[in-house]
Amino acid sequence: MIQIAIMGHGVVGSGVAEVLLKNAKSIARKAGEGIEVKRILDLREFPDSPLADRFTKDFGDIVDDPDIRIVVETMGGLTPAYDYVKRCLEAGKNVVTSNKELVAAKGDELLAIAKEKNLNFLFEASVGGGIPILRPLDQCLAANEVYEIAGILNGTTNFVLTKMIHEGMAFEDALALAQRLGYAERDPSADVDGHDACRKICILASLAFGRHVHPEQVHTVGISAITLADVKYAEAWGGVIKLIGRAHKREDGRLDCFVEPMLLSHASQLAEVNDVFNGILVRGDAIGDVVFYGRGAGKLPTASAVVADVIDEVKHLKARKYLFWEKGQEGYVADYREAVSPMFLRLRCGDPGACLERLESALGPCARIAVEGAPAGELGLVTPPVSEADLEALLAAQPDVAAESRLRVADF
Amino acid sequence: MIQIAIMGHGVVGSGVAEVLLKNAKSIARKAGEGIEVKRILDLREFPDSPLADRFTKDFGDIVDDPDIRIVVETMGGLTPAYDYVKRCLEAGKNVVTSNKELVAAKGDELLAIAKEKNLNFLFEASVGGGIPILRPLDQCLAANEVYEIAGILNGTTNFVLTKMIHEGMAFEDALALAQRLGYAERDPSADVDGHDACRKICILASLAFGRHVHPEQVHTVGISAITLADVKYAEAWGGVIKLIGRAHKREDGRLDCFVEPMLLSHASQLAEVNDVFNGILVRGDAIGDVVFYGRGAGKLPTASAVVADVIDEVKHLKARKYLFWEKGQEGYVADYREAVSPMFLRLRCGDPGACLERLESALGPCARIAVEGAPAGELGLVTPPVSEADLEALLAAQPDVAAESRLRVADF
């Protein structure tokens, strides 16, 4: 019987306890040994829990207990999760976490401690909830040069965009609905401003390219500036707007890595990932395009990913699994203004025809997008590939032009 | 340095050698040891291969060589692959295969030998080419009760159906195009008649539900009877026709398992899996729906899946990975006529109105599908859930009615 502890009894942590109890028999068969929750750390009391006698408010009951071989961290946030996880690893305990903020900020450091101590530190649930993505990515990586990852990584913003696209709801109304349905927090900024997606693309990029990417290095734009006018232009062009986290290996060895709303054609395999679903595209030299799709959050999907990691750690108590990346580096992520893509522009101009002509003479032929009922003086178009820096300079030099929207157009 | 052998130097086998040579350095880093191809078994000569000196026509050079720890089988077919793989396992060698026919027919027996000998027998490439599916499925299974798998498992038939759906091509023309493009064999029956998809759903169902499913137990219908008239009715109903391999755990412990063209609504996550792509849906109690998508065949995707298995075996030379299922059993798969679904029917009737009325009085309200330009006397409809057996009996009892098409409607 392997004894484990769970730190945090919130949505995910209580789900982990529930799955471990409910599927105890089949889990024991798969792990090769039974798994018992010896301790649950939470400051609250849960007298009605079937595990009520396991609760403690004292972290020492976990870190100092030599019988506990695996610790599950589902507290979220950096404090005290970072300190606790570090001390558990230093005390020789294997760790599983669902905490994306922790892995995105401190993954390199914690993986280095795990490596030194010959322990496992796994975090499948930190990206894509229940969708198996980190393990398959590791497998894709085994025999492939993976050069790009792009994903719809946040279910809340995808729900909001789906309502805007399919039902013509305004951003505020769609967000209010998401809050009513429990998909969005009362303070929705971590989702809406792209920070949640940013943490996830950091973890994916760190694993795929072998070096830690810090959230501060990733240009992050949320969806609050997206309007129904943009949605209509996207539709008229033949596509949709999605919030995408993207990491791409440049020829100079650096990464392009950002979170931005992007314009995707209907032919894209990510275009039909709707509602609260997530979809993650992996591109490799031998494997081509592979997409993983599913519900990116939720108590039981996320808990089941955590439990799969626990089972894996039980199976690898002696031999550490290979999962590692190097320390991050300043300048490793290129300035987002350098990344070249076709751009969608929605401009307000004194003279749209003249404006288009000037842009085309600088950039080459653009695809003008006609939208019924567009206000006079509005110009929608897609440019040829151009860097953000060059485009910004060009637009600033135009007389009588104000950019209302600017979105990269995806090549996936 | 780990020494391996490759049996068969066709498309996949030569791809495996190519990937191992090309990515030797990063593969050695991932496996923890270098991997060297000591022998390649093929009756043909390849004097221009960089590995020309490793070729042999004598299986004894592999099975009797104690230095060879891992054998890759990419010959295809049962003879002599089955005999060779069995003898390699009995001689204490780990085996990787891409051979779906072999795994679908003999998986239980070969897994039992591997278990007894404490060896690994892996076959990720046998389903979905380069798409990681067996390993993620194993992970889904760890903490979930998976109860259904449905997939577009054959790229050739999916290409043909896509051409029929999107370009209105007739079946024969689309098949001829697939042959010209190299997607279909000169004798296309293994694809077109559903046998290839059948082998893959057998492997998926065996792994997911823990007991071998034999191809002979799986009702298999191909796509050669699908006409453009059916495609039009599907479109008018709001969906598409796809060739689906499906396995579903019944409440009585048996499986529903078949390969059939099915009617999928546009909202299905498999409806937009087009051209030669594959998509596999996994449904579990905790995880919900998860979909894996990518190119299901091709030299390098398939080879990269084989190489990932080889790397995994190098990492697990001492500790066997858990991958196992029990022997098959007569009666384990229920008669396909028992499975209940809504059905799409295209009927030729003396009096369509009267016919619909009679069907509705037996089955309950049906959804009639109107198609412009349909011949007089043709009736298209979708029934409420009904078993194939009951429906057959009902149709046989109708005067003046001939069923031109009958397709199950998917609930995924």
Side-chain angles (χ1 to χ4, degrees), chain A residues 30 135 141 269 291 293, chain B residues 30 139 141 269 291 293:
Chain A
K30 283 154 193 168
R135 238 183 233 89
L141 290 164
Q269 278 298 323
V291 176
Y293 165 90
Chain B
K30 283 152 193 169
Q139 183 189 337
L141 291 162
Q269 277 299 324
V291 176
Y293 164 92

Side-chain angles (χ1 to χ4, degrees), chain A residues 43-376:
Chain A
L43 293 179
R44 297 163 295 176
E45 318 250 337
F46 296 87
D48 300 334
S49 160
L51 297 171
D53 59 327
R54 321 290 164 91
F55 278 81
T56 176
K57 298 182 173 70
D58 180 2
F59 173 62
D61 284 346
I62 292 173
V63 72
D64 297 331
D65 184 340
D67 291 345
I68 293 174
R69 306 285 303 276
I70 297 171
V71 177
V72 172
E73 186 273 306
T74 58
M75 293 183 284
L78 285 181
T79 313
Y82 167 53
D83 180 48
Y84 284 5
V85 165
K86 198 168 155 179
R87 284 164 65 190
C88 284
L89 289 169
E90 286 168 346
K93 297 181 192 314
N94 297 281
V95 173
V96 174
T97 184
S98 60
N99 184 338
K100 46 194 164 278
E101 192 174 349
L102 175 65
V103 181
K106 304 289 182 185
D108 51 354
E109 186 188 340
L110 297 170
L111 282 167
I113 301 173
K115 189 180 179 185
E116 192 206 315
K117 295 269 181 184
N118 200 29
L119 295 167
N120 284 301
F121 174 55
L122 299 178
F123 38 85
E124 178 66 64
S126 66
V127 181
I131 310 171
I133 173 67
L134 299 185
R135 238 183 233 89
L137 177 59
D138 206 46
Q139 183 190 336
C140 290
L141 290 164
N144 272 269
E145 209 60 52
V146 167
Y147 58 89
E148 178 154 18
I149 298 176
I152 294 172
L153 300 168
N154 178 272
T156 308
T157 45
N158 203 39
F159 177 84
V160 169
L161 288 173
T162 302
K163 288 289 159 192
M164 293 174 73
I165 294 164
H166 290 283
E167 299 175 27
M169 262 190 201
F171 170 76
E172 295 73 19
D173 299 336
L175 180 59
L177 176 63
Q179 286 172 317
R180 271 206 307 283
L181 293 172
Y183 296 151
E185 311 275 333
R186 210 168 308 170
D187 172 3
S189 56
D191 292 323
V192 166
D193 297 340
H195 302 307
D196 177 76
C198 172
R199 289 168 191 146
K200 291 168 180 167
I201 195 66
C202 285
I203 297 170
L204 290 167
S206 300
L207 180 61
F209 304 118
R211 180 176 293 287
H212 196 99
V213 174
H214 287 281
E216 308 83 70
Q217 297 178 295
V218 176
H219 179 65
T220 300
V221 181
I223 62 164
S224 53
I226 302 294
T227 65
L228 285 178
D230 298 318
V231 168
K232 269 190 205 158
Y233 272 99
E235 180 60 38
W237 174 77
V240 290
I241 296 168
K242 293 285 183 186
L243 183 66
I244 299 289
R246 177 173 180 251
H248 175 86
K249 185 112 185 179
R250 296 163 58 100
E251 285 184 13
D252 62 13
R254 294 182 299 159
L255 298 189
D256 288 324
C257 190
F258 50 75
V259 174
E260 287 180 9
M262 292 180 82
L263 185 54
L264 272 65
S265 107
H266 280 306
S268 165
Q269 278 298 323
L270 296 180
E272 300 302 324
V273 174
N274 287 322
D275 296 319
V276 294
F277 283 83
N278 286 197
I280 300 162
L281 169 76
V282 177
R283 292 188 148 172
D285 62 347
I287 211 169
D289 287 6
V290 176
V291 176
F292 304 91
Y293 165 90
R295 215 168 264 278
K299 176 178 179 161
L300 290 181
T302 308
S304 80
V306 171
V307 172
D309 273 352
V310 172
I311 292 172
D312 217 15
E313 292 197 346
V314 170
K315 286 159 74 180
H316 289 84
L317 277 177
K318 279 164 203 150
R320 197 178 153 266
K321 287 196 58 152
Y322 190 88
L323 184 65
F324 189 70
W325 60 69
E326 304 289 336
K327 265 196 169 330
Q329 211 166 38
E330 217 178 310
Y332 174 50
V333 177
D335 187 329
Y336 74 97
R337 288 179 201 84
E338 292 178 34
V340 168
S341 351
M343 298 272 184
F344 161 73
L345 296 174
R346 184 164 61 87
L347 306 172
R348 174 99 41 205
C349 341
D351 178 349
C355 175
L356 180 63
E357 210 168 284
R358 283 194 309 269
L359 290 177
E360 289 196 317
S361 80
L363 297 169
C366 298
R368 184 168 184 174
I369 310 169
V371 159
E372 235 177 280

Side-chain angles (χ1 to χ4, degrees), chain B residues 121-162:
Chain B
F121 175 54
L122 300 178
F123 38 85
E124 177 67 65
S126 66
V127 182
I131 310 171
I133 172 68
L134 299 185
R135 239 181 232 90
L137 177 60
D138 205 47
Q139 183 189 337
C140 291
L141 291 162
N144 271 270
E145 208 61 53
V146 166
Y147 59 88
E148 179 155 16
I149 297 176
I152 295 172
L153 301 169
N154 178 271
T156 308
T157 45
N158 203 40
F159 176 85
V160 169
L161 288 172
T162 302

Side-chain angles (χ1 to χ4, degrees), chain B residues 144-392:
Chain B
N144 271 270
E145 208 61 53
V146 166
Y147 59 88
E148 179 155 16
I149 297 176
I152 295 172
L153 301 169
N154 178 271
T156 308
T157 45
N158 203 40
F159 176 85
V160 169
L161 288 172
T162 302
K163 288 289 159 190
M164 293 174 73
I165 294 164
H166 290 283
E167 299 175 26
M169 263 191 202
F171 169 77
E172 294 74 18
D173 298 336
L175 180 59
L177 176 62
Q179 286 173 314
R180 271 206 307 285
L181 292 171
Y183 296 152
E185 311 273 333
R186 211 170 307 171
D187 172 3
S189 56
D191 293 322
V192 166
D193 297 340
H195 302 306
D196 177 76
C198 171
R199 289 170 191 145
K200 291 168 180 167
I201 195 67
C202 285
I203 297 171
L204 290 167
S206 299
L207 179 60
F209 304 119
R211 182 175 292 288
H212 197 98
V213 175
H214 286 282
E216 309 82 69
Q217 296 178 296
V218 175
H219 179 66
T220 299
V221 181
I223 62 163
S224 53
I226 301 294
T227 65
L228 285 176
D230 299 318
V231 168
K232 270 190 203 157
Y233 273 98
E235 180 59 40
W237 174 77
V240 289
I241 297 169
K242 295 284 183 186
L243 183 65
I244 299 289
R246 177 172 178 251
H248 175 87
K249 184 113 186 179
R250 295 165 58 101
E251 283 182 16
D252 62 12
R254 293 183 299 158
L255 299 189
D256 288 323
C257 190
F258 51 73
V259 174
E260 285 180 11
M262 294 182 81
L263 184 54
L264 273 64
S265 107
H266 281 305
S268 164
Q269 277 299 324
L270 296 180
E272 300 302 324
V273 174
N274 287 321
D275 296 319
V276 293
F277 284 83
N278 286 197
I280 300 160
L281 168 76
V282 176
R283 293 188 147 171
D285 63 346
I287 211 170
D289 286 6
V290 177
V291 176
F292 304 90
Y293 164 92
R295 214 169 266 277
K299 175 177 179 161
L300 290 181
T302 309
S304 80
V306 171
V307 172
D309 273 352
V310 172
I311 292 173
D312 217 16
E313 292 197 348
V314 171
K315 286 158 74 179
H316 288 84
L317 278 176
K318 281 166 204 151
R320 199 178 152 266
K321 288 197 58 150
Y322 188 91
L323 184 66
F324 190 71
W325 59 69
E326 303 288 337
K327 265 197 171 329
Q329 212 166 38
E330 218 178 310
Y332 173 50
V333 176
D335 187 327
Y336 74 95
R337 290 179 199 83
E338 292 179 34
V340 168
S341 352
M343 298 273 185
F344 161 73
L345 296 174
R346 184 162 62 86
L347 307 173
R348 172 103 36 205
C349 339
D351 178 349
C355 175
L356 181 62
E357 209 167 284
R358 284 194 307 270
L359 291 177
E360 288 195 318
S361 80
L363 297 169
C366 298
R368 184 168 184 175
I369 310 168
V371 160
E372 236 177 279
E378 191 169 271
L379 171 64
L381 64 124
V382 168
T383 72
V386 57
S387 76
E388 194 120 352
D390 288 350
L391 187 63
E392 232 165 68

